[in-house]
Amino acid sequence: ILFGAPGTGKSFTLNKEAKELLSDYGYEERVTFHPDYSYANFVGTYKPVMISGDSAKEEIAYEYVPGPFMRVLAKALKSAMGDNPKPHLLIIEEINRANVAAVFGDVFQLLDRASNNASEYEIATTNEMRVYLAKELGVDKSAVETIKIPDNMFIWATMNSADQGVFPMDTAFKRRWDFTYLGIDDSENDLVGKYVVLGKENRQKVEWNKLRKAINTFLAKQKINEDKQLGPYFIARSIVVPKENDMIDSEKFGRIFKSKVIMYLFEDAARQKRASLFEGCFENSTRYSEICREFDEKGIGIFNHDIQIDCEPEDIPKGTE
């Protein structure tokens, strides 16, 4: 499980490592957990499906429909039966946004890995699982009365540590995973030297990474935890790492900055510190719409004086770019 503050590049890192894992072929599925996600969604269940009846008319029948876990498991087991097993990867985004104990159910038992990297313990399959696996693997049902996760199947996940309160994970579940923390500045190298011009009254050239870190420094001084601060890619990489030069598109940046950064700070991370954080807005620091309007005019001038100094802006004389 990769975890860290929002914008630290968790999904980007998993995508990069997945390409390396599957460079010599293999299989990958991705699923995003949410509060209503269930064992039936994850492992499989009977669902109504449309079939062609005797009269050539479509009819509704109930069939076992596997979830992403069972699909990846079946493909991994089939690959493991060959002479050259390929890696099979299941990626779970936002794993803590669902009740993981309920979603994994008895599959939880399979997460303990033995020294050979397969599941240390097995679980019994239901009849519908046996029918599905026997068909997929081309074996008799008696061969799949129990299952284990094979050594060529991997389960990776991301978790936004700022959202741990959505569905807390119990210790027993956490103990079966390897956790890797992505620090708030771990992936900042690509941002160095990427500038954006902000403001209309007093136009200033600002490096996004320095602005981000200045805001984080302010939040840290206000005793706001790191997992609530801004990661390097809180604003999408495609915007803050321009391909052609070092200048970020001001219009795109401004629009996203208002709808993501200011909104997040206003509604969540600095909710109790609005007046101090948006010091430059004076009497309008408690109104989101006014903060956005003043940002268009003042740029970083909406923020606390310390933030304005720490981000080291470069003034742009009128009439020049």
Side-chain angles (χ1 to χ4, degrees):
I1 296 179
L2 286 186
F3 71 110
T8 47
K10 297 180 289 294
S11 295
F12 180 85
T13 301
L14 276 195
N15 284 342
K16 181 180 178 182
E17 294 187 359
K19 288 179 181 178
E20 295 174 1
L21 177 69
L22 305 176
S23 60
D24 188 27
Y25 300 104
Y27 181 78
E28 173 192 345
E29 276 203 38
R30 183 185 299 266
V31 62
T32 301
F33 279 8
H34 55 79
D36 291 329
Y37 204 74
S38 68
Y39 178 88
N41 299 130
F42 187 57
V43 179
T45 189
Y46 275 101
K47 291 182 181 180
V49 294
M50 299 298 294
I51 62 171
S52 297
D54 296 336
S55 60
K57 291 184 179 180
E58 289 190 334
E59 299 176 353
I60 295 178
Y62 282 85
E63 293 183 1
Y64 179 74
V65 178
F69 174 82
M70 189 56 65
R71 287 195 298 269
V72 176
L73 176 65
K75 292 180 184 296
L77 288 171
K78 189 171 184 178
S79 177
M81 293 167 64
D83 296 330
N84 186 23
K86 299 295 183 183
H88 286 62
L89 174 62
L90 175 60
I91 293 179
I92 303 170
E93 296 277 11
E94 306 285 354
I95 192 171
N96 60 322
R97 294 197 65 81
N99 183 346
V100 292
V103 171
F104 276 77
D106 55 353
V107 170
F108 167 83
Q109 188 75 10
L110 302 178
L111 298 180
D112 271 321
R113 301 274 186 149
S115 58
N116 64 354
N117 294 323
S119 295
E120 184 169 3
Y121 308 106
E122 57 191 14
I123 63 170
T125 55
T126 61
N127 183 63
E128 56 266 23
M129 287 180 185
R130 291 173 200 153
V131 171
Y132 170 74
L133 289 171
K135 179 181 177 182
E136 292 295 311
L137 302 179
V139 299
D140 189 82
K141 286 198 297 181
S142 61
V144 286
E145 289 183 350
T146 61
I147 54 172
K148 289 184 176 182
I149 295 176
D151 63 353
N152 64 326
M153 178 174 170
F154 304 83
I155 306 176
W156 296 352
T158 64
M159 183 175 84
N160 187 342
S161 54
D163 290 335
Q164 288 188 61
V166 178
F167 278 102
M169 294 181 182
D170 60 57
T171 303
F173 185 85
K174 287 182 177 180
R175 188 166 52 83
R176 285 162 171 80
W177 295 80
D178 292 326
F179 280 80
T180 299
Y181 182 72
L182 293 187
I184 201 75
D185 298 323
D186 285 357
S187 305
E188 67 176 353
N189 289 345
D190 290 346
L191 295 180
V192 176
K194 308 301 181 184
Y195 293 89
V196 63
V197 175
L198 299 174
K200 293 179 181 177
E201 292 180 0
N202 300 307
R203 295 173 65 75
Q204 293 179 314
K205 181 179 175 183
V206 182
E207 183 182 283
W208 154 241
N209 198 43
K210 289 182 179 179
L211 173 58
R212 175 189 70 87
K213 294 174 85 169
I215 294 172
N216 287 343
T217 298
F218 171 86
L219 296 177
K221 289 179 179 178
Q222 299 297 320
K223 303 295 190 289
I224 295 172
N225 291 337
E226 182 178 335
D227 61 11
K228 285 285 189 180
Q229 296 172 22
L230 305 177
Y233 304 103
F234 195 95
I235 295 178
R237 174 182 288 265
S238 60
I239 294 176
V240 295
V241 185
K243 295 180 179 180
E244 297 182 358
N245 53 51
D246 292 334
M247 293 304 298
I248 299 170
D249 185 296
S250 297
E251 184 178 345
K252 288 182 180 179
F253 180 91
R255 184 174 66 251
I256 300 299
F257 190 88
K258 288 184 291 185
S259 64
K260 283 197 172 185
V261 178
I262 293 179
M263 173 63 80
Y264 173 69
L265 294 171
F266 185 85
E267 290 288 352
D268 191 346
R271 187 182 182 89
Q272 306 302 324
K273 308 292 181 180
R274 291 172 181 170
S276 180
L277 174 62
F278 300 112
E279 182 181 66
C281 292
F282 304 111
E283 70 273 9
N284 292 325
S285 61
T286 58
R287 298 173 63 187
Y288 171 71
S289 60
E290 288 299 317
I291 293 173
C292 290
R293 184 187 63 78
E294 293 204 28
F295 173 75
D296 289 335
E297 296 297 322
K298 299 178 179 179
I300 63 170
I302 66 170
F303 289 114
N304 182 278
H305 182 66
D306 289 343
I307 294 176
Q308 296 183 45
I309 294 175
D310 289 347
C311 69
E312 301 176 354
E314 178 184 332
D315 291 329
I316 299 177
K318 290 185 178 181
T320 64
E321 283 292 333

